[in-house]
Amino acid sequence: MYEKQEIIKWLRTEDEYQLAKLWQMADEVRKRNVGDAVHLRGLIEISNICARDCGYCGISAGNTELERYRMPEEEILDCAREAVSFGYGTVVMQAGVDYGIDKDWMTGLIRRIKSETELAVTLSLGERTEEEYLAWKDAGADRYLLRFETSNKELYDKIHPRLPGESSDRISILRRLKEIGYEAGSGVMIGIPGQTYEDLANDILLFKTLDLDMIGVGPYIPHHATPLGKPGEVTYAAAGEQVPNTEGMTYKVIALARLVCPLANIPSTTALATLNTDTGRELGLSRGANIVMPNMTPRKYRAMYEIYPAKACIDETAADCRSCMSRRILSIGRTVGKGRGDSPNRKTAA
Ligand code: SAM
């Protein structure tokens, strides 16, 4: 099951009978290892300011069409309080690589959330310094999300221009985050131009090697204001080798991630829900996922955090997202998780 060729075979299969078997295996492994509870993570997109120029991302520095924001501390705290009132066990604070979110400001914010609430705190603030990771852990942050996006180094370097004088090695950072004591989460986009089936199989195997506590995967969705969003200028892998950025491929990767990393927390992502608004979340949850991330970002900011077009849930309030997610979870016979929903992978490692 964990051999590269076997993974490639699954990624390539279009046989409905075989796929039904894959969904069933992933669902059984999910049930046995992380149970029926679906944990809700309140997502707060605290800033869309970004110093980096990732070739695919709608909030990258190069998108000059975009109005920029950084949420004030009090507003973020209000969101955290709202998360508590909704019964969520975790808030995820996500942003571009925003150096205005400096070490001390973020440390103060984490300390306030931790002193006022029982919430687990997840950070997704991009590539930052060792000093910052240490200070934020010390202030009480529990988890860090940083997708490595692709394990193909050449493709990675092509779509992640470095800042002058800086290196960009997310795989080393992920190892270090685990050493520091964070629950570490990572993942990839599916169907990046130039990504081959072999690359994607290597990505899935790397989830295991890195011993990830959380794995988030979603389809790559082109954004017109980015270099990768200009179809005429993009290089694809050879015919028959390029991974498609489809809903179906996303379910395969979720299912395989579950089989390879049985104890990881795996979300059914917003990018997936963007491709299939009606049932994408539910199908992700039925094919290996056990987490959803209802958006809590105040409505006035949501359209400014459009990392890809037509992003799901952009017009909803935090309360809308909460009831929508709960309804979807209950509709497939699952339960809404209580408490922090720490990664069982982490607990066994400790
Ligand atoms: N700055 C942080 C970082 O780099 O990890 C967090 C914010 S970044 C916008 C969060 C994730 O959005 C990225 O890891 C990437 O996988 C995803 N993303 C960005 N642009 C996307 C696109 N066009 N299609 C699908 N996912 C995208």
Side-chain angles (χ1 to χ4, degrees):
M1 165 51 57
Y2 308 137
E3 293 299 319
K4 182 158 52 173
Q5 289 313 321
E6 184 76 3
I7 293 178
I8 293 177
K9 215 171 92 195
W10 279 118
L11 293 173
R12 284 186 177 279
T13 192
E14 295 299 332
D15 180 317
E16 290 299 329
Y17 177 74
Q18 290 298 323
L19 286 174
K21 262 177 38 188
L22 179 63
W23 310 147
Q24 195 190 348
M25 282 191 297
D27 201 40
E28 279 170 13
V29 170
R30 185 271 309 155
K31 192 177 175 66
R32 207 164 46 243
N33 288 277
V34 294
D36 279 337
V38 176
H39 291 281
L40 282 77
R41 316 300 201 198
L43 173 66
I44 317 171
E45 294 153 336
I46 63 175
S47 162
N48 72 348
I49 298 169
C50 193
R52 296 294 295 271
D53 249 322
C54 304
Y56 46 84
C57 183
I59 66 165
S60 62
N63 183 1
T64 49
E65 294 168 21
L66 193 63
E67 193 185 330
R68 302 284 172 170
Y69 73 89
R70 180 183 306 125
M71 286 175 63
E73 181 170 329
E74 285 306 325
E75 214 170 22
I76 300 170
L77 276 160
D78 284 343
C79 290
R81 293 181 193 116
E82 194 173 28
V84 174
S85 77
F86 287 170
Y88 299 168
T90 299
V91 279
V92 180
M93 289 185 277
Q94 190 181 83
V97 178
D98 177 2
Y99 296 123
I101 296 177
D102 68 15
K103 181 176 75 124
D104 293 341
W105 184 85
M106 198 65 211
T107 300
L109 174 60
I110 297 166
R111 284 199 201 286
R112 284 190 70 188
I113 294 175
K114 295 302 275 192
S115 67
E116 278 190 35
T117 75
E118 306 271 293
L119 290 166
V121 167
T122 303
L123 304 179
S124 175
L125 304 174
E127 293 168 57
R128 305 294 303 241
T129 63
E130 162 98 5
E131 216 194 346
E132 287 166 327
Y133 297 136
L134 286 168
W136 298 338
K137 183 79 194 65
D138 193 50
D142 302 276
R143 310 178 188 138
Y144 206 99
L145 299 177
L146 183 70
R147 288 187 179 179
F148 61 78
E149 312 294 2
T150 172
S151 58
N152 176 331
K153 176 117 178 43
E154 203 182 317
L155 180 59
Y156 179 87
D157 286 344
K158 195 163 141 195
I159 62 178
H160 295 100
R162 297 172 186 206
L163 289 174
E166 287 190 17
S167 63
S168 171
D169 182 353
R170 295 192 186 183
I171 293 167
S172 301
I173 295 174
L174 285 162
R175 293 203 164 98
R176 187 65 191 128
L177 288 168
K178 275 194 84 106
E179 280 168 14
I180 292 173
Y182 284 97
E183 267 186 37
S186 191
V188 296
M189 287 181 298
I190 296 157
I192 306 167
Q195 182 187 50
T196 65
Y197 284 95
E198 184 170 6
D199 291 336
L200 191 52
N202 285 333
D203 296 345
I204 293 167
L205 290 170
L206 185 57
F207 297 161
K208 179 78 188 163
T209 309
L210 289 172
D211 188 27
L212 293 177
D213 304 307
M214 304 170 282
I215 302 169
V217 298
Y220 159 67
I221 303 175
H223 189 295
H224 68 95
T226 63
L228 255 63
K230 306 197 181 348
E233 298 167 31
V234 175
T235 315
Y236 293 93
E241 292 304 324
Q242 172 66 48
V243 173
N245 58 341
T246 56
E247 186 189 345
M249 189 58 65
T250 307
Y251 298 131
K252 290 181 198 175
V253 181
I254 291 176
L256 291 164
R258 172 58 67 203
L259 296 179
V260 170
C261 300
L263 291 169
N265 277 335
I266 301 181
S268 187
T269 56
T270 305
L272 177 57
T274 298
L275 293 196
N276 176 353
T277 326
D278 288 345
T279 56
R281 295 259 191 215
E282 290 87 332
L283 287 170
L285 289 172
S286 306
R287 295 170 177 181
N290 70 321
I291 300 285
V292 288
M293 296 171 68
N295 199 322
M296 305 207 64
T297 310
R299 211 166 163 181
K300 63 184 175 193
Y301 299 122
R302 287 206 191 183
M304 289 185 260
Y305 204 88
E306 208 174 31
I307 50 186
Y308 43 77
K311 191 172 157 216
C313 315
I314 216 139
D315 282 330
E316 297 179 11
T317 63
D320 295 334
C321 284
R322 171 213 188 202
S323 45
C324 167
M325 295 287 187
S326 302
R327 181 178 48 73
R328 287 177 190 273
I329 292 166
L330 299 177
S331 79
I332 53 168
R334 303 273 282 278
T335 56
V336 175
K338 293 197 168 54
R340 291 165 43 111
D342 289 319
S343 170
N345 186 55
R346 179 75 191 168
K347 283 191 202 141
T348 49

